[in-house]
Amino acid sequence: MGLFDKFEKNAALLSQLSAAGKNPFTVVMEEVLGPTRAKIKGRETVLAGTHNYLGQTFEPKAIAAAKEALDHDGTGTTGSRVANGTFSGHTKLEREIADFLGMKNCVVFSTGYAANLGAIAGFVDRNEDVVLIDADCHACIYDGCQLSGAETVRFRHNDPESLDKRLSRLDPKYNGKLVCIEGMYSMYGDIAPVKEFVEVAHKHGAHLLVDEAHSFGVYGETGKGVSEAEGVMDEIDFYTGTFSKALASIGGFMASNHPEAEYIRFASNPYRFTASPSPSTIASAGAALANISENPAIRAKLWENARRLHGAFVQFGLRLAAKPAPVISVLLPTREDAFEAWSFLLEQGVYVNMAIPPGTPGKESLLRLAVSSAHTNDDIDRLVAAYGALAEAFPSARVDGNA
Amino acid sequence: MSGIQEDDDLVFHKITSLLEPLNEKGVKLTRETDIIADLEIDSVSLLDVVMDIEDNYDISIPVNTISEIKTIGELVDAIHKIKKEQS
Ligand SMILES: Cc1ncc(COP(=O)(O)O)c(C=O)c1O
């Protein structure tokens, strides 16, 4: 009663889907068989709906480092970064990330979600400052704005001119201005024109935060992200990221060239009031970071796989959301189509993500494939075959099928 | 008709023209219409409509303000207030 009334509508839909065995939100990985395979509903399935972009989940060096940390430092820190939860592993990893990015400092949080929450709420004063966010930013950026309590203005997705207009008409009463964008956006796999955003933000005296959760390790000459690919690593003010995707662990961080940025350690509740990442997760993240920076071939393989899949899907006439990228999304006009198409792929032995509005940028639903460098030729063949069958069975997924 | 009243009607008209395509159930739009509850549109679609309004009037309507708005009338009033402040 009361509290639960609002669940009714979704609960009805979800139980209907579950009854039909088509609920994308209750999938269980019954047995993990490797970086790109798991048993789902008793069947070996190709995983193409993960964030294991660089295939580090079973990297032997990361596993060895995690085991050693378990043996030496125990299972958990039992405390927050500002109390008993900062071990030498945490500060070492902060140094390593800062060095990898070529930035002055880095603050490690318990998740990427907490890093964005903590950075926004930590920097922005509810009475004096204002936040401007790309309309398609991740929930944790929206939540960070709410936590900050400051006035929040949205601008059009990937549209520096729209930001420019909004900055121009801001009341001069604001002291600090924080602009938040992402590197690669996770739903469509489209990337931000970071360079133009830097110019617009700085022209108006605003700071720019770039969340590279999905692009860290993936974009740029040396894997520093879209900011590197755009040639503006030295110009962005705050860089946030996560260990949960390319580094296949758990944790998050905020890096900066501003020496003052480190003060958020004392100003940010998502840093101060939650336990720090466990020693083994920190150790595996560090080992994965070392591994991917020493082996650029891993990133090259990811891009090779992404181009192969994207090329094949274009051939099939599928309606794709963006250019070749480690996320390849097929657009579908309705939720019903999306549920059907998603379970069709699962029956073909392929797991991808499904997203429906309002969790998607537009009015369409989508099937989201995330590529991994660990996808083998056999995996890619199976993905191509499954999407070929999808294109046949679902005209609504094709460019020519919306008539 | 006073200037304010005329402006009020124009703003109301602008908002309803933006909401109409989302009005799948064909609800009659009045100042009392609850945008999310009556039209069954999601919160993100409302934010997108507001973005169109912002660009139309060259004003900024903070997300915080929108989350306090329920009815079309409240949105009209908020736009007037912000237009006055930001002009
Ligand atoms: C853009 C973006 N930022 C932050 C996060 C949060 O990362 P984490 O899983 O480490 O909390 C995600 C992941 O879902 C994301 O997509």
Side-chain angles (χ1 to χ4, degrees):
Chain A
M1 308 264 307
L3 282 182
F4 305 140
D5 292 346
K6 55 185 159 301
F7 299 148
E8 266 169 29
K9 222 172 81 188
N10 280 338
L13 172 69
L14 291 175
S15 56
Q16 195 187 329
L17 288 166
S18 294
K22 292 178 179 173
N23 190 340
F25 309 118
T26 52
V27 167
V28 177
M29 304 285 159
E30 289 144 11
E31 194 185 340
V32 179
L33 304 168
T36 64
R37 297 277 173 119
K39 219 174 243 176
I40 299 176
K41 293 187 189 169
R43 270 182 64 197
E44 181 167 347
T45 303
V46 178
L47 301 179
T50 69
H51 303 97
N52 196 10
Y53 298 120
L54 300 178
Q56 298 298 292
T57 46
F58 286 87
E59 164 54 40
K61 283 175 276 187
I63 290 175
K67 283 183 176 160
E68 198 185 311
L70 263 177
D71 287 340
H72 278 90
D73 297 334
T75 51
T77 68
T78 78
S80 112
R81 293 293 318 270
V82 290
N84 55 307
T86 294
F87 291 12
S88 59
H90 296 82
T91 50
K92 180 167 166 279
L93 184 56
E94 289 182 334
R95 195 63 260 148
E96 288 164 355
I97 294 167
D99 289 346
F100 173 75
L101 294 174
M103 296 186 111
K104 286 209 176 73
N105 53 57
C106 172
V107 177
V108 162
F109 290 79
S110 303
T111 62
Y113 183 93
N116 282 304
L117 221 54
I120 298 170
F123 288 130
V124 175
D125 182 277
R126 73 176 60 228
N127 297 314
E128 293 194 347
D129 304 331
V130 61
V131 200
L132 298 102
I133 62 174
D134 185 289
D136 285 359
C137 274
H138 189 257
C140 64
I141 292 178
Y142 276 85
D143 291 355
C145 294
Q146 277 214 347
L147 183 63
S148 80
E151 296 242 308
T152 303
V153 173
R154 288 165 96 228
F155 53 89
R156 288 186 195 279
H157 175 55
N158 273 353
D159 186 344
E161 203 184 305
S162 170
L163 171 65
D164 193 21
K165 258 199 281 189
R166 281 161 176 77
L167 281 166
S168 301
R169 61 186 177 223
L170 273 185
D171 192 316
K173 74 179 179 196
Y174 294 114
N175 184 13
K177 299 164 218 166
L178 178 67
V179 175
C180 300
I181 60 170
E182 296 177 23
M184 181 179 81
Y185 286 83
S186 64
M187 286 293 134
Y188 281 4
D190 53 334
I191 67 166
V194 183
K195 187 169 189 294
E196 287 175 66
F197 277 122
V198 166
E199 282 160 16
V200 171
H202 288 177
K203 182 176 89 180
H204 291 276
H207 285 92
L208 180 68
L209 179 151
V210 186
D211 178 3
E212 299 252 24
H214 291 267
S215 27
F216 176 81
V218 169
Y219 276 82
E221 176 89 33
T222 62
K224 294 186 185 117
V226 174
S227 302
E228 182 187 28
E230 291 263 305
V232 290
M233 271 309 286
D234 293 339
E235 288 164 73
I236 62 174
D237 296 285
F238 310 115
Y239 182 117
T240 55
T242 173
F243 305 155
S244 71
K245 306 184 195 302
L247 300 184
S249 181
I250 284 280
F253 65 90
M254 187 280 306
S256 177
N257 281 326
H258 296 290
E260 305 89 338
E262 287 209 61
Y263 288 133
I264 58 163
R265 292 184 201 274
F266 309 104
S268 171
N269 285 358
Y271 182 82
R272 296 187 295 174
F273 291 100
T274 191
S276 62
S278 69
S280 57
T281 59
I282 289 290
S284 77
L289 177 62
N291 189 46
I292 64 164
S293 44
E294 284 157 19
N295 296 291
I298 300 172
R299 190 167 47 257
K301 181 70 186 164
L302 167 71
W303 280 98
E304 184 192 317
N305 286 346
R307 291 199 181 92
R308 262 185 75 188
L309 288 168
H310 194 276
F313 295 179
V314 169
Q315 289 283 309
F316 294 141
L318 289 166
R319 208 150 58 91
L320 304 178
K323 294 192 294 195
V327 166
I328 305 174
S329 287
V330 173
L331 299 173
L332 289 150
T334 68
R335 282 157 63 123
E336 290 70 24
D337 281 333
F339 283 115
E340 287 298 326
W342 177 84
S343 33
F344 177 88
L345 285 180
L346 195 60
E347 280 156 27
Q348 306 279 317
V350 164
Y351 171 81
V352 298
N353 306 117
M354 195 211 69
I356 52 177
T360 53
K363 302 284 166 259
E364 282 135 325
S365 295
L366 51 90
L367 294 177
R368 171 187 183 276
L369 184 155
V371 188
S372 175
S373 63
H375 278 133
T376 60
N377 285 337
D378 184 47
D379 289 338
I380 303 273
D381 290 345
R382 286 177 56 175
L383 290 171
V384 169
Y387 273 74
L390 177 87
E392 293 264 313
F394 290 84
S396 64
R398 296 200 308 260
V399 181
D400 63 8
N402 288 301
Chain B
M1 199 184 264
S2 74
I4 277 281
Q5 179 61 44
E6 198 173 331
D7 198 32
D8 214 63
D9 290 345
L10 283 173
V11 173
F12 177 80
H13 186 74
K14 182 74 206 168
I15 293 171
T16 51
S17 71
L18 290 167
L19 286 174
E20 206 54 78
L22 304 170
N23 183 10
E24 283 172 13
K25 294 196 308 177
V27 175
K28 183 167 161 38
L29 302 181
T30 68
R31 280 187 62 100
E32 280 68 46
T33 307
D34 184 315
I35 304 172
I36 290 187
D38 295 341
L39 302 184
E40 290 186 14
I41 72 171
D42 61 65
S43 54
V44 179
S45 301
L46 174 58
L47 290 178
D48 290 340
V49 166
V50 170
M51 187 111 75
D52 289 332
I53 296 171
E54 289 182 311
D55 284 337
N56 189 73
Y57 293 110
D58 202 23
I59 56 174
S60 289
I61 308 172
V63 176
N64 325 46
T65 307
I66 305 162
S67 55
E68 285 160 16
I69 289 170
K70 283 178 83 89
T71 64
I72 293 181
E74 286 165 11
L75 184 54
V76 173
D77 295 342
I79 291 169
H80 277 307
K81 187 159 166 279
I82 291 169
K83 272 175 74 179
K84 235 200 241 139
E85 284 169 6
Q86 297 185 5
S87 61

